Amino acid sequence: MGVGFTEFFSIHLATEHPQVIPISVFIVILCLCLVIGHLLEENRWVNESITAILVGAVSGTVILLISRGKSSHILVFDEELFFIYLLPPIIFNAGFQVKKKKFFHNFLTIMSFGVIGVFISTVIISFGTWWLFPKLGFKGLSARDYLAIGTIFSSTDTVCTLQILHQDETPLLYSLVFGEGVVNDATSVVLFNAVQKIHFESLNGWTALRVFGNFLYLFFTSTILGIAVGLVTSYVLKTLYFGRHSTTRELAIMVLMAYLSYMLAELFSLSGILTVFFCGVLMSHYASYNVTESSRITSRHVFAMLSFIAETFIFLYVGTDALDLTKWKTSSLSVGGTLGVSGVITTLVLLGRAAFVFPLSVFTNFMNRNTERSETITFKHQVIIWWAGLMRGAVSIALAFKQFTYSGVTLDPVNAAMVTNTTIVVLFTTLVFGFLTKPLVNYLLPHDANQNTGGNGGKHTAPGSPREDATLPLLSFDESASTNFNRAKDSISLLMEQPVYTIHRYWRKFDDTYMRPIFGGPRRDNQPEC
């Protein structure tokens, strides 16, 4: 019997390229998700994350029916796929698109939320699960697992809230939510990697100090590497000026150097997230001014597009993975036990987040109480910041798979239970909290209340304010000793009261005088800040 062309093509395709069919199907579903997201653009109750999860769940259901209950997956998840190919464009785009003025003006507050907050949340979640899980009959986790759980569920996903906030109307709130989201993810991954290096067989009083020291080492070395690669890229683009021959080479060198920074960090066992984020910040600050106008516009759209596709891909997989019957059958927990464990995790997430957002906000307001230029984090702002970090997303899923599976597969009942509970928490927080985000923000911050205020409550610094004199020299030979002494005292007091604004002014002068002439970018004189 002869074989028809269609049958031969199908057999040949399945034999020679077994991944072509599932990849093609997944791409079709990705396109469908983009179309549905476009149709729902005006409905901010349903953001891209929720749309992708729902489309993934529907797709998983169809595949489950076609395979007669064998599988709901089109592709098998590999945590290396996430960390090597999907995460870098997401984090790099966050750094490249960040509004640097507000980010660095609120740098200390963002870092306190994103770093100190992760430590507080990790401690609460880790000890809470260690105490409550056995009471629910869920046993078998090691000390490393409990610490890993703390870092996994300390990672936030602020996309839903950022889509609703108006950056021009609430710049302070937007910058805090956005900045904390990026730093939070980076800190969670760095802390997760630090936990993996703990030797639990030789625990002593120095263990916590070693973990903290390892965290600081990873944090600062990764940051320095990202800054170095960003500066090198900027210098090369400024010196060689690729654009005079090919704008394509300009864009290519930026993409490749950004990815190289991430891979170098992984090669040296550092944090690729921090490295590629600060590489993006430096490229946006310097390198983007060394390329042609067309490359500058194209690069922003290309990086945003890659980030968007990667995020959609991840949430699609989360939707299909929710129907993975193999993990549900392998899990050591019953339906009631699963709901109890996921409920405990969700409750600890709520408490862990509240334990640092409100105290750190009060502390920040206290430190800035005598500074006219500072913007107060109101109680309504604090509630929104707390709520914005309740959703769990891609990083939590990836870390859970890395801790409790091998290439997305686990045969251990306890590990399978943790993967299914992670999926439940991500789905619940994204869908339920995500749906409620818009009415909450609209209730706390009515749209008209923030218009025409610049987002800072209408505060303006009066001309001649002593805050504007931060950059005056401390000493002048043309004035008396008492005047010089008073000026020095006022300048030092200003630096202690509001170090960020003062340091930012000195950095601008240093940047204009030394950095921009070498690495590129226009001087800020008479130009709006980005």
Side-chain angles (χ1 to χ4, degrees), residues 57-105:
V58 173
S59 304
T61 303
V62 173
I63 297 170
L64 198 64
L65 294 175
I66 294 176
S67 65
R68 297 179 180 179
K70 293 182 180 180
S71 174
S72 65
H73 290 141
I74 306 170
L75 299 173
V76 177
F77 184 86
D78 185 348
E79 61 272 13
E80 294 301 322
L81 168 70
F82 173 82
F83 283 104
I84 299 300
Y85 299 108
L86 297 180
L87 188 59
I90 296 175
I91 303 300
F92 177 80
N93 181 66
F96 196 79
Q97 307 285 0
V98 68
K99 298 296 182 181
K100 296 179 288 296
K101 177 182 178 181
K102 276 295 178 182
F103 180 84
F104 287 104
H105 272 180

Side-chain angles (χ1 to χ4, degrees), residues 361-505:
S361 298
V362 172
F363 179 75
T364 299
N365 291 334
F366 175 77
M367 293 298 294
N368 295 332
R369 66 193 186 282
N370 295 323
T371 307
E372 296 176 13
R373 284 194 56 177
S374 65
E375 301 171 81
T376 301
I377 306 176
T378 66
F379 181 73
K380 291 182 178 180
H381 288 171
Q382 295 172 33
V383 172
I384 294 177
I385 294 171
W386 170 72
W387 185 270
L390 295 180
M391 278 72 82
R392 295 297 175 264
V395 175
S396 295
I397 287 288
L399 293 179
F401 271 77
K402 190 172 185 179
Q403 179 70 20
F404 298 109
T405 73
Y406 179 76
S407 296
V409 179
T410 178
L411 300 177
D412 183 88
V414 175
N415 290 344
M418 276 310 308
V419 173
T420 54
N421 276 283
T422 302
T423 303
I424 290 175
V425 172
V426 171
L427 289 174
F428 178 82
T429 56
T430 302
L431 295 176
V432 177
F433 295 160
F435 273 120
L436 297 176
T437 298
K438 182 177 181 179
L440 176 68
V441 172
N442 288 341
Y443 174 76
L444 294 176
L445 298 177
H447 183 69
D448 295 336
N450 294 306
Q451 289 183 340
N452 302 322
T453 64
N456 60 358
K459 285 186 178 181
H460 299 283
T461 303
S465 167
R467 310 300 170 187
E468 296 296 330
D469 297 332
T471 55
L472 290 177
L474 293 182
L475 298 176
S476 172
F477 291 106
D478 298 328
E479 297 178 352
S480 64
S482 59
T483 302
N484 282 325
F485 176 77
N486 290 331
R487 172 174 290 178
K489 183 180 67 173
D490 292 339
S491 298
I492 294 174
S493 299
L494 174 60
L495 181 62
M496 296 177 65
E497 289 177 357
Q498 187 64 10
V500 177
Y501 285 104
T502 308
I503 293 174
H504 180 71
R505 290 180 179 277

